[in-house]
Amino acid sequence: MNTTNRTLDWFFRGIASAPSFTACWIWGGRPTRDGYGTFGKATRAHRRAYELAVGPIPKGLVIDHLCETRLCVNPLHLRATTQRHNVLRSVRTMPNVNAGKTHCPSGHPYDEANTYHRPAGGRDCRACSRRKRAA
Ligand SMILES: [Zn+2]
Ligand SMILES: [Zn+2]
């Protein structure tokens, strides 16, 4: 008996909806408390999907959803990454973290006189910009 084919067969039966090859493949069955699909007792469906499509997940890496849909098991939407990167990605979506900083990396104050507000958002230290231009 071919274990790989059997696993693939089980796997594809677990997908509740896959409108196209590139769309999110939504895993059926009951999700875990934190919203991931499960394959068998202990395996997360998206991790299984990655293993089936790409190969073993390197030690220490987690599988990140590029589409941010936890129930999605489309290997095209999955990427092996470090936990740290995953955390940083969620931080990015929080309100501008830098807005809380009162000084630039060189220690100049972010006050009205020294702060250049970029039209596209964000800000620069005028003292540092001047120094960069002079250099
Ligand atoms: Zn997806
Ligand atoms: Zn500065």
Side-chain angles (χ1 to χ4, degrees):
M1 191 183 307
N2 187 322
T3 318
T4 308
N5 277 344
R6 206 178 52 171
T7 309
L8 274 174
D9 193 42
W10 277 342
F11 180 76
F12 281 106
R13 263 188 253 162
I15 297 169
S17 85
S20 76
F21 186 64
T22 50
C24 284
W25 298 357
I26 302 302
W27 189 253
R30 232 173 57 193
T32 59
R33 217 182 302 173
D34 50 357
Y36 291 98
T38 48
F39 182 85
K41 278 201 185 81
T43 314
R44 297 206 159 173
H46 69 289
R47 289 180 68 89
R48 199 75 186 110
Y50 186 92
E51 286 173 342
L52 288 170
V54 184
I57 299 163
K59 225 181 144 91
L61 293 192
V62 298
I63 300 303
D64 188 23
H65 280 95
L66 295 167
C67 59
E68 319 241 327
T69 304
R70 289 181 172 179
L71 275 181
C72 174
V73 294
N74 188 339
L76 294 173
H77 298 181
L78 301 173
R79 185 180 54 172
T81 181
T82 62
Q83 185 72 49
R84 187 178 148 71
H85 181 81
N86 228 344
V87 171
L88 283 178
R89 251 161 65 84
S90 34
V91 165
R92 192 197 56 193
T93 57
M94 279 167 29
N96 196 347
V97 202
N98 284 323
K101 288 185 186 152
T102 56
H103 288 75
C104 85
S106 306
H108 306 120
Y110 274 136
D111 54 21
E112 268 320 300
N114 190 46
T115 307
Y116 171 70
H117 295 276
R118 282 179 239 151
R123 60 188 178 174
D124 287 313
C125 168
R126 284 189 195 274
C128 285
S129 308
R130 261 200 306 274
R131 202 155 51 179
K132 253 178 255 163
R133 267 200 303 271

